[in-house]
Amino acid sequence: MKKLILSFLLITTSTLAFSWGQTGHRATGLIAEQHLSKKAKAQLEKRLGHSLAIASTWMDEVRSDSTYDYMEDWHWVTIPDGSTYEQTEKNPKGDIIEAIDRMITSLKSKTLTPQQEVEHIKILIHLVGDIHQPLHVGRGDDRGGNSVKVKWFGHDSNLHRVWDSEMIDDTHLSYTELAMSVNIPSDKAIKSLQTSNVKQWAYESMTYRKNVYAIGDGKLSYAYPYYNFHIVRDQLMKAGLRIAGLLNEIYG
């Protein structure tokens, strides 16, 4: 299991496999911002100095800075089919579930320096987005889909990249347009989404594996996004609403 954990997902700048890509992450940030309480929005504007959409991509942007190498394994977790998070051998460098919970606890403690607080907010926004990308909760056998080579409309790609960015980018929607295209549920449904916990979000992502891996001969084109892009939209919507729920709880 340890070998699976350590080899699962090596997302680096050289592979260009950024989680959700800029468009997806910024869409989650915009959705979140639209559902902040007035108090939380004011507190976050004071601390960040810019929108949640812009803050959402910081964790990927600093990957070229070795100062932040310690965060690399926080973007993902391995939970094999038929297993629970509790049953897995934990990565000693941390994982996405552990990191999200740690960010929440630290931000609630009110003991961080201003710089630490800003970074924790940005990490939290980003990782809540990541955990809703199904391949960031990996099976442990293919590096979160990075090892699954496919053709995307005739050019070489891999399954992880298809879900991170290619399905989104090929819509040619801006992040604001993408955020506007999701279906926001009722207030009751929003509350239900926001009261679930981080492990439940990971298990939700696992439920999409059948759809994700239905790649046939690996030559993906119009049919694949036709049957799967609704999952992308739903997961971005859930991520945005859950980011807002956490930030409202901390700052609202």
Side-chain angles (χ1 to χ4, degrees), residues 35-252:
H35 291 84
L36 292 175
S37 68
K38 289 183 179 180
K39 182 179 178 182
K41 188 172 184 179
Q43 292 293 320
L44 289 161
E45 287 177 350
K46 179 180 178 181
R47 286 161 174 78
L48 295 175
H50 50 68
S51 69
L52 301 191
I54 299 303
S56 69
T57 57
W58 175 84
M59 204 174 175
D60 279 338
E61 292 162 2
V62 297
R63 288 187 177 207
S64 59
D65 184 345
S66 61
T67 305
Y68 295 99
D69 284 352
Y70 65 90
M71 301 191 301
E72 186 64 33
D73 287 352
W74 299 358
H75 294 261
W76 54 272
V77 67
T78 296
I79 307 178
D81 289 334
S83 297
T84 65
Y85 178 67
E86 288 78 9
Q87 293 169 332
T88 63
E89 185 171 354
K90 304 303 181 289
N91 187 335
K93 296 181 180 179
D95 61 54
I96 195 168
I97 293 174
E98 179 274 333
I100 291 173
D101 280 335
R102 179 157 40 88
M103 294 304 111
I104 295 168
T105 299
S106 296
L107 286 167
K108 286 182 176 179
S109 74
K110 309 298 183 183
T111 60
L112 301 172
T113 67
Q115 180 179 345
Q116 289 173 331
E117 183 177 10
V118 168
E119 290 190 355
H120 277 54
I121 294 168
K122 292 176 179 179
I123 292 168
L124 180 64
I125 294 168
H126 186 88
L127 292 184
V128 175
D130 274 0
I131 203 170
H132 288 81
Q133 203 276 57
L135 286 165
H136 279 255
V137 184
R139 305 184 305 185
D141 58 356
D142 62 12
R143 298 172 58 241
N146 276 287
S147 297
V148 181
K149 305 305 179 184
V150 299
K151 292 284 186 179
W152 179 251
F153 287 89
H155 70 78
D156 292 337
S157 187
N158 65 67
L159 193 58
H160 193 100
R161 187 180 299 127
V162 167
W163 280 82
D164 268 358
S165 57
E166 287 179 324
M167 275 200 287
I168 291 174
D169 291 347
D170 279 8
T171 66
H172 300 290
L173 296 173
S174 66
Y175 78 84
T176 55
E177 292 169 330
L178 180 59
M180 290 171 61
S181 76
V182 307
N183 294 317
I184 302 297
S186 66
D187 289 345
K188 182 178 180 180
I190 290 174
K191 184 176 181 180
S192 177
L193 287 172
Q194 292 175 333
T195 53
S196 57
N197 63 49
V198 181
K199 282 185 287 188
Q200 289 173 317
W201 306 346
Y203 297 148
E204 280 181 7
S205 285
M206 292 171 66
T207 66
Y208 297 116
R209 288 178 179 172
K210 183 177 180 180
N211 300 72
V212 171
Y213 286 94
I215 60 174
D217 61 3
K219 296 177 181 178
L220 308 182
S221 59
Y222 296 102
Y224 193 79
Y226 178 80
Y227 288 111
N228 289 298
F229 198 69
H230 71 283
I231 297 173
V232 173
R233 279 197 170 97
D234 284 349
Q235 290 298 93
L236 293 173
M237 174 270 292
K238 291 175 186 176
L241 294 177
R242 286 165 172 164
I243 291 166
L246 291 173
L247 293 176
N248 284 337
E249 183 180 343
I250 296 166
Y251 292 107

